[in-house]
Amino acid sequence: MLPRGRRGGGVALIYRLGLRVKRVKTRVVATSFECLEATLEGPGVDLVKVSVIYRPPKPRKRDLFLEEFEEFLSAFSSKPSHLLITGDFNVRVEHQNSEFTKSFRKVLQDHN
């Protein structure tokens, strides 16, 4: 769990006993979202890099989020590995006509 020092939001990683989990330093410093990164491995599980993200629902920081999230994803493109990114992005993906949703999907598509 990543302590925040303030109320609301935050990130945590819950895992099963028997898995080896090691917290790693986040590569990108972001102000528009919080991130917890760890490696996870165990019997029958190859090394997986796990990133848990929380983006507060603040519409005025949407452009900053897209910029920082793209930088975050780019940091992984040079190192092939198993990667799992999860969390609460506060993006209404069901609103397909939303410009923010379209931009978010494009960032994801650009990084596979």
Side-chain angles (χ1 to χ4, degrees), residues 26-62:
T26 303
R27 298 173 192 223
V28 175
V29 177
T31 60
S32 63
F33 63 92
E34 297 174 44
C35 181
L36 172 78
E37 293 187 83
T39 57
L40 180 143
E41 64 181 322
V45 178
D46 291 337
L47 182 69
V48 176
K49 173 89 175 231
V50 179
S51 297
V52 184
I53 292 176
Y54 172 72
R55 183 187 80 86
K58 294 190 176 183
R60 67 180 184 268
K61 292 189 175 185
R62 288 179 171 180

PDB file of all heavy atoms in Angstrom, residues 26-62:
ATOM      1  N   THR A  26       9.103   3.947  -9.121  1.00  0.00           N
ATOM      2  CA  THR A  26       8.373   4.385 -10.305  1.00  0.00           C
ATOM      3  C   THR A  26       9.304   5.173 -11.209  1.00  0.00           C
ATOM      4  O   THR A  26      10.040   6.043 -10.747  1.00  0.00           O
ATOM      5  CB  THR A  26       7.164   5.249  -9.896  1.00  0.00           C
ATOM      6  OG1 THR A  26       6.350   4.481  -9.015  1.00  0.00           O
ATOM      7  CG2 THR A  26       6.353   5.681 -11.084  1.00  0.00           C
ATOM      8  N   ARG A  27       9.287   4.858 -12.505  1.00  0.00           N
ATOM      9  CA  ARG A  27      10.201   5.493 -13.454  1.00  0.00           C
ATOM     10  C   ARG A  27       9.825   6.927 -13.796  1.00  0.00           C
ATOM     11  O   ARG A  27      10.672   7.730 -14.115  1.00  0.00           O
ATOM     12  CB  ARG A  27      10.211   4.709 -14.759  1.00  0.00           C
ATOM     13  CG  ARG A  27      10.684   3.307 -14.626  1.00  0.00           C
ATOM     14  CD  ARG A  27      10.470   2.610 -15.942  1.00  0.00           C
ATOM     15  NE  ARG A  27      10.647   1.188 -15.783  1.00  0.00           N
ATOM     16  CZ  ARG A  27      11.304   0.445 -16.638  1.00  0.00           C
ATOM     17  NH1 ARG A  27      11.827   0.978 -17.704  1.00  0.00           N
ATOM     18  NH2 ARG A  27      11.426  -0.838 -16.432  1.00  0.00           N
ATOM     19  N   VAL A  28       8.534   7.224 -13.773  1.00  0.00           N
ATOM     20  CA  VAL A  28       8.050   8.535 -14.182  1.00  0.00           C
ATOM     21  C   VAL A  28       7.400   9.224 -12.989  1.00  0.00           C
ATOM     22  O   VAL A  28       6.591   8.631 -12.286  1.00  0.00           O
ATOM     23  CB  VAL A  28       7.020   8.392 -15.338  1.00  0.00           C
ATOM     24  CG1 VAL A  28       6.432   9.740 -15.693  1.00  0.00           C
ATOM     25  CG2 VAL A  28       7.670   7.748 -16.551  1.00  0.00           C
ATOM     26  N   VAL A  29       7.780  10.462 -12.769  1.00  0.00           N
ATOM     27  CA  VAL A  29       7.151  11.250 -11.714  1.00  0.00           C
ATOM     28  C   VAL A  29       5.958  11.965 -12.336  1.00  0.00           C
ATOM     29  O   VAL A  29       6.113  12.772 -13.252  1.00  0.00           O
ATOM     30  CB  VAL A  29       8.144  12.267 -11.110  1.00  0.00           C
ATOM     31  CG1 VAL A  29       7.454  13.128 -10.077  1.00  0.00           C
ATOM     32  CG2 VAL A  29       9.336  11.550 -10.516  1.00  0.00           C
ATOM     33  N   ALA A  30       4.770  11.638 -11.856  1.00  0.00           N
ATOM     34  CA  ALA A  30       3.542  12.217 -12.407  1.00  0.00           C
ATOM     35  C   ALA A  30       2.814  13.002 -11.323  1.00  0.00           C
ATOM     36  O   ALA A  30       2.804  12.603 -10.161  1.00  0.00           O
ATOM     37  CB  ALA A  30       2.642  11.106 -12.944  1.00  0.00           C
ATOM     38  N   THR A  31       2.207  14.099 -11.737  1.00  0.00           N
ATOM     39  CA  THR A  31       1.412  14.892 -10.802  1.00  0.00           C
ATOM     40  C   THR A  31      -0.081  14.699 -11.016  1.00  0.00           C
ATOM     41  O   THR A  31      -0.874  15.072 -10.166  1.00  0.00           O
ATOM     42  CB  THR A  31       1.741  16.394 -10.939  1.00  0.00           C
ATOM     43  OG1 THR A  31       1.453  16.820 -12.278  1.00  0.00           O
ATOM     44  CG2 THR A  31       3.207  16.658 -10.614  1.00  0.00           C
ATOM     45  N   SER A  32      -0.460  14.088 -12.144  1.00  0.00           N
ATOM     46  CA  SER A  32      -1.887  13.922 -12.455  1.00  0.00           C
ATOM     47  C   SER A  32      -2.429  12.561 -12.049  1.00  0.00           C
ATOM     48  O   SER A  32      -3.633  12.329 -12.128  1.00  0.00           O
ATOM     49  CB  SER A  32      -2.121  14.136 -13.954  1.00  0.00           C
ATOM     50  OG  SER A  32      -1.436  13.153 -14.709  1.00  0.00           O
ATOM     51  N   PHE A  33      -1.563  11.625 -11.644  1.00  0.00           N
ATOM     52  CA  PHE A  33      -2.022  10.321 -11.171  1.00  0.00           C
ATOM     53  C   PHE A  33      -1.016   9.755 -10.175  1.00  0.00           C
ATOM     54  O   PHE A  33       0.135  10.164 -10.136  1.00  0.00           O
ATOM     55  CB  PHE A  33      -2.276   9.342 -12.322  1.00  0.00           C
ATOM     56  CG  PHE A  33      -1.072   8.967 -13.144  1.00  0.00           C
ATOM     57  CD1 PHE A  33      -0.304   7.856 -12.838  1.00  0.00           C
ATOM     58  CD2 PHE A  33      -0.716   9.714 -14.260  1.00  0.00           C
ATOM     59  CE1 PHE A  33       0.791   7.495 -13.598  1.00  0.00           C
ATOM     60  CE2 PHE A  33       0.383   9.367 -15.035  1.00  0.00           C
ATOM     61  CZ  PHE A  33       1.139   8.252 -14.708  1.00  0.00           C
ATOM     62  N   GLU A  34      -1.503   8.813  -9.368  1.00  0.00           N
ATOM     63  CA  GLU A  34      -0.647   8.105  -8.416  1.00  0.00           C
ATOM     64  C   GLU A  34      -0.330   6.732  -8.989  1.00  0.00           C
ATOM     65  O   GLU A  34      -1.147   6.150  -9.706  1.00  0.00           O
ATOM     66  CB  GLU A  34      -1.366   7.936  -7.083  1.00  0.00           C
ATOM     67  CG  GLU A  34      -1.692   9.248  -6.414  1.00  0.00           C
ATOM     68  CD  GLU A  34      -2.538   9.053  -5.178  1.00  0.00           C
ATOM     69  OE1 GLU A  34      -2.234   8.138  -4.392  1.00  0.00           O
ATOM     70  OE2 GLU A  34      -3.497   9.817  -5.009  1.00  0.00           O
ATOM     71  N   CYS A  35       0.831   6.214  -8.650  1.00  0.00           N
ATOM     72  CA  CYS A  35       1.237   4.925  -9.202  1.00  0.00           C
ATOM     73  C   CYS A  35       2.037   4.135  -8.186  1.00  0.00           C
ATOM     74  O   CYS A  35       2.910   4.678  -7.509  1.00  0.00           O
ATOM     75  CB  CYS A  35       2.069   5.149 -10.462  1.00  0.00           C
ATOM     76  SG  CYS A  35       2.601   3.621 -11.247  1.00  0.00           S
ATOM     77  N   LEU A  36       1.729   2.864  -8.081  1.00  0.00           N
ATOM     78  CA  LEU A  36       2.479   1.911  -7.268  1.00  0.00           C
ATOM     79  C   LEU A  36       2.995   0.853  -8.229  1.00  0.00           C
ATOM     80  O   LEU A  36       2.215   0.281  -8.997  1.00  0.00           O
ATOM     81  CB  LEU A  36       1.566   1.272  -6.218  1.00  0.00           C
ATOM     82  CG  LEU A  36       2.151   0.119  -5.423  1.00  0.00           C
ATOM     83  CD1 LEU A  36       3.080   0.664  -4.344  1.00  0.00           C
ATOM     84  CD2 LEU A  36       1.054  -0.693  -4.787  1.00  0.00           C
ATOM     85  N   GLU A  37       4.301   0.609  -8.222  1.00  0.00           N
ATOM     86  CA  GLU A  37       4.880  -0.391  -9.116  1.00  0.00           C
ATOM     87  C   GLU A  37       5.578  -1.477  -8.309  1.00  0.00           C
ATOM     88  O   GLU A  37       6.198  -1.193  -7.278  1.00  0.00           O
ATOM     89  CB  GLU A  37       5.867   0.252 -10.083  1.00  0.00           C
ATOM     90  CG  GLU A  37       5.197   1.183 -11.076  1.00  0.00           C
ATOM     91  CD  GLU A  37       6.150   1.675 -12.127  1.00  0.00           C
ATOM     92  OE1 GLU A  37       6.352   0.942 -13.107  1.00  0.00           O
ATOM     93  OE2 GLU A  37       6.695   2.774 -11.947  1.00  0.00           O
ATOM     94  N   ALA A  38       5.457  -2.704  -8.813  1.00  0.00           N
ATOM     95  CA  ALA A  38       6.078  -3.846  -8.152  1.00  0.00           C
ATOM     96  C   ALA A  38       6.369  -4.921  -9.188  1.00  0.00           C
ATOM     97  O   ALA A  38       5.806  -4.911 -10.281  1.00  0.00           O
ATOM     98  CB  ALA A  38       5.147  -4.397  -7.071  1.00  0.00           C
ATOM     99  N   THR A  39       7.263  -5.838  -8.821  1.00  0.00           N
ATOM    100  CA  THR A  39       7.451  -7.045  -9.620  1.00  0.00           C
ATOM    101  C   THR A  39       6.833  -8.190  -8.842  1.00  0.00           C
ATOM    102  O   THR A  39       6.809  -8.187  -7.610  1.00  0.00           O
ATOM    103  CB  THR A  39       8.936  -7.333  -9.899  1.00  0.00           C
ATOM    104  OG1 THR A  39       9.638  -7.440  -8.659  1.00  0.00           O
ATOM    105  CG2 THR A  39       9.548  -6.255 -10.761  1.00  0.00           C
ATOM    106  N   LEU A  40       6.327  -9.141  -9.580  1.00  0.00           N
ATOM    107  CA  LEU A  40       5.615 -10.272  -8.984  1.00  0.00           C
ATOM    108  C   LEU A  40       6.088 -11.536  -9.688  1.00  0.00           C
ATOM    109  O   LEU A  40       6.154 -11.569 -10.919  1.00  0.00           O
ATOM    110  CB  LEU A  40       4.123 -10.042  -9.205  1.00  0.00           C
ATOM    111  CG  LEU A  40       3.141 -11.058  -8.680  1.00  0.00           C
ATOM    112  CD1 LEU A  40       1.913 -10.312  -8.188  1.00  0.00           C
ATOM    113  CD2 LEU A  40       2.754 -12.048  -9.739  1.00  0.00           C
ATOM    114  N   GLU A  41       6.435 -12.564  -8.920  1.00  0.00           N
ATOM    115  CA  GLU A  41       6.771 -13.865  -9.505  1.00  0.00           C
ATOM    116  C   GLU A  41       6.529 -14.953  -8.467  1.00  0.00           C
ATOM    117  O   GLU A  41       6.388 -14.679  -7.281  1.00  0.00           O
ATOM    118  CB  GLU A  41       8.209 -13.900 -10.020  1.00  0.00           C
ATOM    119  CG  GLU A  41       9.274 -13.748  -8.981  1.00  0.00           C
ATOM    120  CD  GLU A  41      10.667 -13.760  -9.601  1.00  0.00           C
ATOM    121  OE1 GLU A  41      10.908 -14.520 -10.555  1.00  0.00           O
ATOM    122  OE2 GLU A  41      11.515 -13.010  -9.117  1.00  0.00           O
ATOM    123  N   GLY A  42       6.427 -16.152  -8.966  1.00  0.00           N
ATOM    124  CA  GLY A  42       6.174 -17.270  -8.075  1.00  0.00           C
ATOM    125  C   GLY A  42       6.173 -18.566  -8.847  1.00  0.00           C
ATOM    126  O   GLY A  42       6.466 -18.596 -10.044  1.00  0.00           O
ATOM    127  N   PRO A  43       5.798 -19.669  -8.184  1.00  0.00           N
ATOM    128  CA  PRO A  43       5.759 -20.967  -8.859  1.00  0.00           C
ATOM    129  C   PRO A  43       4.813 -20.919 -10.062  1.00  0.00           C
ATOM    130  O   PRO A  43       3.638 -20.585  -9.927  1.00  0.00           O
ATOM    131  CB  PRO A  43       5.220 -21.914  -7.785  1.00  0.00           C
ATOM    132  CG  PRO A  43       5.420 -21.208  -6.487  1.00  0.00           C
ATOM    133  CD  PRO A  43       5.386 -19.743  -6.794  1.00  0.00           C
ATOM    134  N   GLY A  44       5.360 -21.191 -11.233  1.00  0.00           N
ATOM    135  CA  GLY A  44       4.552 -21.198 -12.444  1.00  0.00           C
ATOM    136  C   GLY A  44       4.191 -19.817 -12.970  1.00  0.00           C
ATOM    137  O   GLY A  44       3.414 -19.677 -13.902  1.00  0.00           O
ATOM    138  N   VAL A  45       4.766 -18.775 -12.373  1.00  0.00           N
ATOM    139  CA  VAL A  45       4.481 -17.399 -12.802  1.00  0.00           C
ATOM    140  C   VAL A  45       5.797 -16.730 -13.169  1.00  0.00           C
ATOM    141  O   VAL A  45       6.680 -16.587 -12.334  1.00  0.00           O
ATOM    142  CB  VAL A  45       3.787 -16.586 -11.676  1.00  0.00           C
ATOM    143  CG1 VAL A  45       3.546 -15.157 -12.110  1.00  0.00           C
ATOM    144  CG2 VAL A  45       2.491 -17.251 -11.255  1.00  0.00           C
ATOM    145  N   ASP A  46       5.929 -16.354 -14.447  1.00  0.00           N
ATOM    146  CA  ASP A  46       7.109 -15.603 -14.862  1.00  0.00           C
ATOM    147  C   ASP A  46       7.082 -14.230 -14.210  1.00  0.00           C
ATOM    148  O   ASP A  46       6.040 -13.765 -13.751  1.00  0.00           O
ATOM    149  CB  ASP A  46       7.123 -15.426 -16.386  1.00  0.00           C
ATOM    150  CG  ASP A  46       7.363 -16.732 -17.118  1.00  0.00           C
ATOM    151  OD1 ASP A  46       7.930 -17.659 -16.510  1.00  0.00           O
ATOM    152  OD2 ASP A  46       6.976 -16.822 -18.299  1.00  0.00           O
ATOM    153  N   LEU A  47       8.214 -13.569 -14.207  1.00  0.00           N
ATOM    154  CA  LEU A  47       8.308 -12.227 -13.643  1.00  0.00           C
ATOM    155  C   LEU A  47       7.344 -11.291 -14.364  1.00  0.00           C
ATOM    156  O   LEU A  47       7.342 -11.199 -15.595  1.00  0.00           O
ATOM    157  CB  LEU A  47       9.735 -11.693 -13.764  1.00  0.00           C
ATOM    158  CG  LEU A  47       9.987 -10.321 -13.162  1.00  0.00           C
ATOM    159  CD1 LEU A  47       9.902 -10.394 -11.641  1.00  0.00           C
ATOM    160  CD2 LEU A  47      11.339  -9.794 -13.591  1.00  0.00           C
ATOM    161  N   VAL A  48       6.508 -10.618 -13.605  1.00  0.00           N
ATOM    162  CA  VAL A  48       5.521  -9.678 -14.145  1.00  0.00           C
ATOM    163  C   VAL A  48       5.734  -8.337 -13.456  1.00  0.00           C
ATOM    164  O   VAL A  48       5.865  -8.271 -12.236  1.00  0.00           O
ATOM    165  CB  VAL A  48       4.071 -10.166 -13.890  1.00  0.00           C
ATOM    166  CG1 VAL A  48       3.054  -9.136 -14.366  1.00  0.00           C
ATOM    167  CG2 VAL A  48       3.827 -11.509 -14.541  1.00  0.00           C
ATOM    168  N   LYS A  49       5.774  -7.285 -14.253  1.00  0.00           N
ATOM    169  CA  LYS A  49       5.817  -5.928 -13.702  1.00  0.00           C
ATOM    170  C   LYS A  49       4.366  -5.471 -13.564  1.00  0.00           C
ATOM    171  O   LYS A  49       3.580  -5.548 -14.506  1.00  0.00           O
ATOM    172  CB  LYS A  49       6.570  -5.022 -14.672  1.00  0.00           C
ATOM    173  CG  LYS A  49       6.551  -3.580 -14.314  1.00  0.00           C
ATOM    174  CD  LYS A  49       7.706  -3.233 -13.411  1.00  0.00           C
ATOM    175  CE  LYS A  49       7.719  -1.766 -13.164  1.00  0.00           C
ATOM    176  NZ  LYS A  49       8.963  -1.119 -13.388  1.00  0.00           N
ATOM    177  N   VAL A  50       3.985  -5.040 -12.359  1.00  0.00           N
ATOM    178  CA  VAL A  50       2.615  -4.619 -12.071  1.00  0.00           C
ATOM    179  C   VAL A  50       2.627  -3.134 -11.732  1.00  0.00           C
ATOM    180  O   VAL A  50       3.441  -2.688 -10.921  1.00  0.00           O
ATOM    181  CB  VAL A  50       2.018  -5.417 -10.887  1.00  0.00           C
ATOM    182  CG1 VAL A  50       0.609  -4.951 -10.573  1.00  0.00           C
ATOM    183  CG2 VAL A  50       2.041  -6.907 -11.180  1.00  0.00           C
ATOM    184  N   SER A  51       1.740  -2.387 -12.364  1.00  0.00           N
ATOM    185  CA  SER A  51       1.569  -0.967 -12.062  1.00  0.00           C
ATOM    186  C   SER A  51       0.109  -0.729 -11.714  1.00  0.00           C
ATOM    187  O   SER A  51      -0.789  -1.077 -12.485  1.00  0.00           O
ATOM    188  CB  SER A  51       1.953  -0.103 -13.262  1.00  0.00           C
ATOM    189  OG  SER A  51       3.308  -0.259 -13.581  1.00  0.00           O
ATOM    190  N   VAL A  52      -0.114  -0.168 -10.540  1.00  0.00           N
ATOM    191  CA  VAL A  52      -1.467   0.165 -10.085  1.00  0.00           C
ATOM    192  C   VAL A  52      -1.575   1.686 -10.106  1.00  0.00           C
ATOM    193  O   VAL A  52      -0.770   2.380  -9.487  1.00  0.00           O
ATOM    194  CB  VAL A  52      -1.744  -0.364  -8.660  1.00  0.00           C
ATOM    195  CG1 VAL A  52      -3.187  -0.080  -8.262  1.00  0.00           C
ATOM    196  CG2 VAL A  52      -1.437  -1.855  -8.570  1.00  0.00           C
ATOM    197  N   ILE A  53      -2.576   2.182 -10.826  1.00  0.00           N
ATOM    198  CA  ILE A  53      -2.709   3.623 -11.048  1.00  0.00           C
ATOM    199  C   ILE A  53      -4.043   4.131 -10.516  1.00  0.00           C
ATOM    200  O   ILE A  53      -5.063   3.451 -10.632  1.00  0.00           O
ATOM    201  CB  ILE A  53      -2.593   3.939 -12.559  1.00  0.00           C
ATOM    202  CG1 ILE A  53      -1.160   3.656 -13.003  1.00  0.00           C
ATOM    203  CG2 ILE A  53      -2.996   5.370 -12.873  1.00  0.00           C
ATOM    204  CD1 ILE A  53      -0.916   3.837 -14.470  1.00  0.00           C
ATOM    205  N   TYR A  54      -4.010   5.319  -9.955  1.00  0.00           N
ATOM    206  CA  TYR A  54      -5.239   6.032  -9.580  1.00  0.00           C
ATOM    207  C   TYR A  54      -5.144   7.451 -10.112  1.00  0.00           C
ATOM    208  O   TYR A  54      -4.186   8.175  -9.825  1.00  0.00           O
ATOM    209  CB  TYR A  54      -5.436   6.083  -8.062  1.00  0.00           C
ATOM    210  CG  TYR A  54      -6.597   6.976  -7.683  1.00  0.00           C
ATOM    211  CD1 TYR A  54      -7.905   6.584  -7.933  1.00  0.00           C
ATOM    212  CD2 TYR A  54      -6.388   8.225  -7.115  1.00  0.00           C
ATOM    213  CE1 TYR A  54      -8.975   7.411  -7.626  1.00  0.00           C
ATOM    214  CE2 TYR A  54      -7.452   9.057  -6.796  1.00  0.00           C
ATOM    215  CZ  TYR A  54      -8.738   8.639  -7.061  1.00  0.00           C
ATOM    216  OH  TYR A  54      -9.792   9.455  -6.760  1.00  0.00           O
ATOM    217  N   ARG A  55      -6.143   7.825 -10.928  1.00  0.00           N
ATOM    218  CA  ARG A  55      -6.244   9.200 -11.427  1.00  0.00           C
ATOM    219  C   ARG A  55      -7.495   9.826 -10.836  1.00  0.00           C
ATOM    220  O   ARG A  55      -8.608   9.362 -11.087  1.00  0.00           O
ATOM    221  CB  ARG A  55      -6.343   9.249 -12.942  1.00  0.00           C
ATOM    222  CG  ARG A  55      -6.372  10.703 -13.462  1.00  0.00           C
ATOM    223  CD  ARG A  55      -6.634  10.781 -14.949  1.00  0.00           C
ATOM    224  NE  ARG A  55      -8.033  10.633 -15.271  1.00  0.00           N
ATOM    225  CZ  ARG A  55      -8.930  11.626 -15.295  1.00  0.00           C
ATOM    226  NH1 ARG A  55      -8.593  12.839 -14.966  1.00  0.00           N
ATOM    227  NH2 ARG A  55     -10.178  11.383 -15.631  1.00  0.00           N
ATOM    228  N   PRO A  56      -7.333  10.876 -10.044  1.00  0.00           N
ATOM    229  CA  PRO A  56      -8.516  11.549  -9.498  1.00  0.00           C
ATOM    230  C   PRO A  56      -9.372  12.125 -10.630  1.00  0.00           C
ATOM    231  O   PRO A  56      -8.843  12.494 -11.679  1.00  0.00           O
ATOM    232  CB  PRO A  56      -7.928  12.679  -8.642  1.00  0.00           C
ATOM    233  CG  PRO A  56      -6.512  12.313  -8.406  1.00  0.00           C
ATOM    234  CD  PRO A  56      -6.089  11.482  -9.570  1.00  0.00           C
ATOM    235  N   PRO A  57     -10.669  12.199 -10.405  1.00  0.00           N
ATOM    236  CA  PRO A  57     -11.569  12.703 -11.456  1.00  0.00           C
ATOM    237  C   PRO A  57     -11.574  14.234 -11.524  1.00  0.00           C
ATOM    238  O   PRO A  57     -12.532  14.873 -11.142  1.00  0.00           O
ATOM    239  CB  PRO A  57     -12.931  12.159 -11.031  1.00  0.00           C
ATOM    240  CG  PRO A  57     -12.830  12.054  -9.546  1.00  0.00           C
ATOM    241  CD  PRO A  57     -11.398  11.707  -9.255  1.00  0.00           C
ATOM    242  N   LYS A  58     -10.489  14.811 -12.016  1.00  0.00           N
ATOM    243  CA  LYS A  58     -10.396  16.269 -12.144  1.00  0.00           C
ATOM    244  C   LYS A  58     -10.335  16.633 -13.624  1.00  0.00           C
ATOM    245  O   LYS A  58      -9.272  16.541 -14.240  1.00  0.00           O
ATOM    246  CB  LYS A  58      -9.174  16.802 -11.411  1.00  0.00           C
ATOM    247  CG  LYS A  58      -9.259  16.613  -9.917  1.00  0.00           C
ATOM    248  CD  LYS A  58      -8.160  17.357  -9.230  1.00  0.00           C
ATOM    249  CE  LYS A  58      -8.354  17.201  -7.728  1.00  0.00           C
ATOM    250  NZ  LYS A  58      -7.383  17.951  -6.980  1.00  0.00           N
ATOM    251  N   PRO A  59     -11.440  17.052 -14.199  1.00  0.00           N
ATOM    252  CA  PRO A  59     -11.482  17.331 -15.636  1.00  0.00           C
ATOM    253  C   PRO A  59     -10.461  18.362 -16.111  1.00  0.00           C
ATOM    254  O   PRO A  59      -9.973  18.280 -17.213  1.00  0.00           O
ATOM    255  CB  PRO A  59     -12.900  17.848 -15.864  1.00  0.00           C
ATOM    256  CG  PRO A  59     -13.688  17.398 -14.695  1.00  0.00           C
ATOM    257  CD  PRO A  59     -12.718  17.253 -13.558  1.00  0.00           C
ATOM    258  N   ARG A  60     -10.089  19.326 -15.282  1.00  0.00           N
ATOM    259  CA  ARG A  60      -9.185  20.369 -15.759  1.00  0.00           C
ATOM    260  C   ARG A  60      -7.759  19.864 -15.974  1.00  0.00           C
ATOM    261  O   ARG A  60      -6.946  20.559 -16.555  1.00  0.00           O
ATOM    262  CB  ARG A  60      -9.208  21.559 -14.810  1.00  0.00           C
ATOM    263  CG  ARG A  60      -8.625  21.273 -13.452  1.00  0.00           C
ATOM    264  CD  ARG A  60      -8.695  22.503 -12.562  1.00  0.00           C
ATOM    265  NE  ARG A  60      -8.061  22.273 -11.305  1.00  0.00           N
ATOM    266  CZ  ARG A  60      -8.670  21.829 -10.212  1.00  0.00           C
ATOM    267  NH1 ARG A  60      -9.960  21.585 -10.235  1.00  0.00           N
ATOM    268  NH2 ARG A  60      -8.001  21.643  -9.103  1.00  0.00           N
ATOM    269  N   LYS A  61      -7.433  18.670 -15.502  1.00  0.00           N
ATOM    270  CA  LYS A  61      -6.083  18.126 -15.674  1.00  0.00           C
ATOM    271  C   LYS A  61      -6.040  16.996 -16.700  1.00  0.00           C
ATOM    272  O   LYS A  61      -5.110  16.209 -16.704  1.00  0.00           O
ATOM    273  CB  LYS A  61      -5.544  17.629 -14.335  1.00  0.00           C
ATOM    274  CG  LYS A  61      -5.278  18.736 -13.347  1.00  0.00           C
ATOM    275  CD  LYS A  61      -4.541  18.200 -12.154  1.00  0.00           C
ATOM    276  CE  LYS A  61      -4.171  19.333 -11.210  1.00  0.00           C
ATOM    277  NZ  LYS A  61      -3.348  18.853 -10.108  1.00  0.00           N
ATOM    278  N   ARG A  62      -7.014  16.923 -17.567  1.00  0.00           N
ATOM    279  CA  ARG A  62      -7.068  15.818 -18.535  1.00  0.00           C
ATOM    280  C   ARG A  62      -5.878  15.805 -19.486  1.00  0.00           C
ATOM    281  O   ARG A  62      -5.296  14.758 -19.740  1.00  0.00           O
ATOM    282  CB  ARG A  62      -8.372  15.880 -19.323  1.00  0.00           C
ATOM    283  CG  ARG A  62      -9.563  15.487 -18.501  1.00  0.00           C
ATOM    284  CD  ARG A  62     -10.818  15.577 -19.304  1.00  0.00           C
ATOM    285  NE  ARG A  62     -11.917  15.003 -18.566  1.00  0.00           N
ATOM    286  CZ  ARG A  62     -13.144  14.946 -19.020  1.00  0.00           C
ATOM    287  NH1 ARG A  62     -13.431  15.437 -20.201  1.00  0.00           N
ATOM    288  NH2 ARG A  62     -14.087  14.398 -18.294  1.00  0.00           N
TER     289      ARG A  62
END
